[in-house]
Amino acid sequence: MSFIELSNVSLRYDNGYLAVEGVNLSIAQGEFVALVGPSGCGKSTLLRVISGLRPPSNGAATVHGRVVKGPISGIGMAFQNPTLMPWRTILQNILLPLEVSPQHKQRYRQNPRPYIEAARELMASVGLAGFEDAHVWELSGGMQQRASLCRALIHQPEILMLDEPFSALDAFTREELWQAMQVLYMSRKPTVILVTHDLREAVYLSDTIYTMSTRPGRIAYSRRIEFPRPRGLELTYEDAFAHIVKELREQIGGMRTQISGLKGVGA
């Protein structure tokens, strides 16, 4: 049985904009999935549907066999911008979800010590040991994003949603964060949904890649990634890796060509 299931999901926004249509998607528990496709194809919309932040116009989303009818618990999120609070230390930022999580907040208030130790271990696993008392402005963009990933995982969510979390970083920092993300994923095994425009990132990190069509977004193509973990960066230079990236690029390029052709016909 799938852990996350989208059944014929469509979503039309209040302004009449049809973002996604007839999406069917099954994600196993502990699977790392990437959503790729042209800009505006509804990738982030699907994250909102799965998390319960936006109900579908048609169809249904289920998590653990239960229909999603509103915001669900057990989710961690990281976005393009780390959105860390500048008046809190990095450790305090990472601990923030525990202060509001219904599952953890009472125990955290009564005995914060094990949670603080867990946060320190998380920080050490991504190279942030020694920066617990630092503030946001003292960290580079890549270090801030590492802290954001730790914050998304500190409450041990079953589902981790990543909406282009590395896109604002330079190429070298981005690859460092891929490795940090892999360490976190392998140690905790949440179900991960990554939205990205970077096809190399998708191939390096995920178990399955779903390519979405131009809007209204549909699942146009899926690709299973069989490279064993842990994956080193040298993998990105191998022919098999480059072949998959080329395959995905051709899929997306073909959809863009179709749209350009339709615009030309209507001109």
Side-chain angles (χ1 to χ4, degrees), residues 16 35 42 45 49 55 158-159 179-180 188 229 250 263:
L35 299 176
T45 293
V49 170
E158 289 187 296
I159 302 170
Q179 295 175 84
R188 300 200 165 222
R229 287 190 173 90
E250 288 173 348
K263 288 180 178 179

Side-chain angles (χ1 to χ4, degrees), residues 63-227:
V63 176
H64 243 327
R66 296 186 292 271
V67 176
V68 176
K69 296 182 177 179
I72 62 176
S73 60
I75 288 183
M77 293 187 175
F79 305 95
Q80 181 175 343
N81 297 314
T83 61
L84 300 172
M85 296 179 177
W87 59 88
R88 299 178 68 122
T89 66
I90 299 304
L91 180 61
Q92 290 169 343
N93 266 286
I94 291 170
L95 292 168
L96 179 60
L98 299 171
E99 298 174 16
V100 297
S101 167
Q103 182 181 357
H104 295 282
K105 63 182 180 181
Q106 184 174 353
R107 282 180 291 173
Y108 174 65
R109 289 170 185 166
Q110 292 174 342
N111 184 18
R113 185 184 298 274
Y115 293 99
I116 292 172
E117 288 305 311
R120 290 179 179 276
E121 289 176 12
L122 262 179
M123 292 181 70
S125 72
V126 296
L128 287 179
F131 289 92
E132 292 85 355
D133 297 324
H135 285 82
V136 176
W137 61 84
E138 299 177 273
L139 271 60
S140 67
M143 294 170 77
Q144 290 179 31
Q145 197 58 276
R146 290 170 192 259
S148 179
L149 291 173
C150 291
R151 182 181 60 184
L153 286 166
I154 188 61
H155 58 301
Q156 299 182 326
E158 289 187 296
I159 302 170
L160 179 62
M161 294 189 172
L162 306 173
D163 198 348
E164 299 192 61
F166 314 128
S167 61
L169 304 172
D170 65 84
F172 290 106
T173 304
R174 195 158 57 236
E175 290 181 350
E176 288 177 357
L177 266 291
W178 295 354
Q179 295 175 84
M181 183 65 247
Q182 179 177 224
V183 169
L184 292 172
Y185 170 69
M186 291 183 68
S187 64
R188 300 200 165 222
K189 275 302 181 104
T191 303
V192 183
I193 307 173
L194 167 69
V195 167
T196 181
H197 284 98
D198 189 329
L199 300 181
R200 293 175 67 249
E201 179 174 291
V203 176
Y204 183 81
L205 287 172
S206 64
D207 298 312
T208 309
I209 300 172
Y210 292 97
T211 301
M212 295 186 67
S213 68
T214 50
R215 62 180 180 268
R218 302 176 179 87
I219 301 299
Y221 184 70
S222 65
R223 182 59 154 88
R224 186 73 183 168
I225 308 300
E226 302 291 353
F227 300 123

Side-chain angles (χ1 to χ4, degrees), residues 172 175 178 200 204 232-243 245:
F172 290 106
E175 290 181 350
W178 295 354
R200 293 175 67 249
Y204 183 81
L233 286 175
E234 64 275 6
L235 172 66
T236 63
Y237 299 100
E238 294 183 8
D239 289 343
F241 186 95
H243 175 78
V245 173

Side-chain angles (χ1 to χ4, degrees), residues 38-57:
S39 296
C41 68
K43 299 184 293 293
S44 297
T45 293
L46 290 186
L47 296 188
R48 297 186 190 104
V49 170
I50 293 168
S51 63
L53 296 177
R54 190 83 193 194
S57 305

